[in-house]
Amino acid sequence: MKRHFLLYTKGIAMGMADVVPGVSGGTIAFISGIYDQLLQALAAIPRALRLLLQGQLKMAWQSAQANFLVVLFAGVLTSVFSFAKLISYLLDTYPIFIWSFFFGLVLISVYLIAREVREKIKVSSIFLFALGSILAYWVTQAPPIAVDQGYLSLFFAGYIAICAMLLPGISGSFVLVLLGLYPVVLSAIKNLEVGILLVFISGCVLGLMSFSRILIWMLNRWHDAVLMFLTGLMLGSLNKIWPWKETLSWQEISGEKVPLLQQNLWPDHYTALTGQDALLIWAIMLALIGAALVLVLDYLASRKA
């Protein structure tokens, strides 16, 4: 029960991260020591389904590590449906505090992922690191595009967003922002619009099963190269979660105005532009708390290993 409870809380942490545009649930899975097991379990689902159709229920359950997936995704769903409104409120009311916490969390995670590289750094690895950084930075700077809000678009949005969630450094919710579908999905979650959620979740399920197999294959074949690319993704994504921002445009979600396009500012420029305290000392403290939390999770995961 203790092990299941800890796994459930990791699912909650993943769900909370995925609600925040700019933070990836894959980052939480990696630093909490369940990333490899998650990929293996997701990749085994097609085989488990075949066993299930053959009437081998017990083998199907064990093949997909269903206990692990059920507990983990129960935590994720609990978080998404329980904390969507809370996270939105906190980001609106205490943006510097929330972004500072996540900035520290992601920054120390860059080091932890890079630490997993097994061999000596090569020129090709440095290139992949730079490529990942540039790609993530470009994604965080890209303006949203207007796509059709029909069921087909929602299905493919779910597929793409969940693939992004599996990658440390790329936020699934931010991908939805870029596609212009974040307001639609968030509103569906808040108002329990079953039709929209079923289509979106169907795309997520397909993405989880297919992309997890691709990631496992790539990690087995080019372990260090993939990790360097993922490290670059995480470093580049820090642009999105910088605590001090100027909002350039807004969008309306469920009758509320929320930031759409923003640019980063240095703390002194933020104070000069907005007339508000940059809360620099508090921001540093919360960033250190976020980093310390990651180090504690890494220590606990290494002890378990």
Side-chain angles (χ1 to χ4, degrees):
M1 289 298 295
K2 180 180 178 181
R3 181 164 53 87
H4 284 164
F5 177 74
L6 289 174
L7 181 60
Y8 180 73
T9 59
K10 291 176 182 179
I12 288 177
M14 286 179 63
M16 292 182 68
D18 282 322
V19 172
V20 179
V23 184
S24 169
T27 301
I28 304 298
F30 197 98
I31 63 180
S32 61
I34 60 172
Y35 191 68
D36 289 341
Q37 186 177 2
L38 175 60
L39 292 181
Q40 295 287 348
L42 293 172
I45 289 178
R47 178 175 181 272
L49 290 176
R50 289 195 296 270
L51 290 171
L52 183 62
L53 292 175
Q54 295 170 5
Q56 302 181 56
L57 177 59
K58 184 177 180 179
M59 289 188 64
W61 189 269
Q62 293 174 344
S63 176
Q65 302 183 58
N67 286 337
F68 169 83
L69 289 177
V70 168
V71 174
L72 180 67
F73 281 100
V76 172
L77 292 176
T78 298
S79 186
V80 168
F81 285 101
S82 301
F83 295 111
K85 291 184 179 180
L86 175 62
I87 292 296
S88 298
Y89 168 78
L90 291 175
L91 285 172
D92 182 55
T93 310
Y94 307 104
I96 293 177
F97 292 167
I98 302 302
W99 290 124
S100 296
F101 174 80
F102 280 113
F103 190 90
L105 184 149
V106 174
L107 182 60
I108 197 67
S109 300
V110 171
Y111 160 73
L112 293 180
I113 293 184
R115 189 186 61 183
E116 297 296 319
V117 174
R118 298 167 181 168
E119 300 177 357
K120 187 177 180 180
I121 302 298
K122 303 175 183 177
V123 174
S124 58
S125 298
I126 296 175
F127 171 77
L128 288 169
F129 173 80
L131 180 63
S133 301
I134 293 170
L135 176 61
Y137 183 85
W138 175 79
V139 168
T140 61
Q141 291 288 97
I145 58 176
V147 300
D148 176 50
Q149 297 183 2
Y151 282 161
L152 185 62
S153 295
L154 284 166
F155 177 84
F156 283 108
Y159 184 94
I160 297 170
I162 207 68
C163 291
M165 186 208 78
L166 287 176
L167 291 172
I170 297 292
S171 165
S173 53
F174 188 65
V175 169
L176 293 178
V177 170
L178 293 180
L179 295 175
L181 293 174
Y182 183 74
V184 177
V185 175
L186 190 61
S187 176
I189 292 172
K190 290 180 177 180
N191 301 316
L192 289 178
E193 298 175 33
V194 178
I196 291 176
L197 290 177
L198 285 177
V199 173
F200 181 76
I201 291 172
S202 297
C204 291
V205 170
L206 181 61
L208 284 173
M209 290 190 296
S210 60
F211 193 60
S212 58
R213 298 173 71 89
I214 295 172
L215 271 180
I216 290 174
W217 178 77
M218 292 178 67
L219 282 168
N220 288 335
R221 191 174 179 88
W222 304 293
H223 179 270
D224 288 1
V226 173
L227 284 187
M228 289 298 292
F229 180 73
L230 295 180
T231 303
L233 286 179
M234 292 188 65
L235 186 66
S237 73
L238 289 172
N239 174 68
K240 175 59 183 175
I241 53 179
W242 180 253
W244 299 279
K245 305 173 185 292
E246 177 190 9
T247 300
L248 303 177
S249 62
W250 302 79
Q251 65 178 337
E252 189 170 302
I253 299 178
S254 302
E256 299 179 6
K257 288 180 64 178
V258 297
L260 179 60
L261 288 178
Q262 297 178 308
Q263 69 175 4
N264 294 334
L265 302 171
W266 291 111
D268 56 336
H269 292 166
Y270 174 85
T271 299
L273 182 67
T274 65
Q276 300 177 14
D277 189 350
L279 303 171
L280 183 59
I281 300 300
W282 282 101
I284 293 173
M285 289 178 59
L286 284 163
L288 291 174
I289 291 173
L293 177 61
V294 171
L295 292 174
V296 169
L297 287 173
D298 178 66
Y299 172 72
L300 294 175
S302 63
R303 284 190 61 188
K304 181 179 177 182

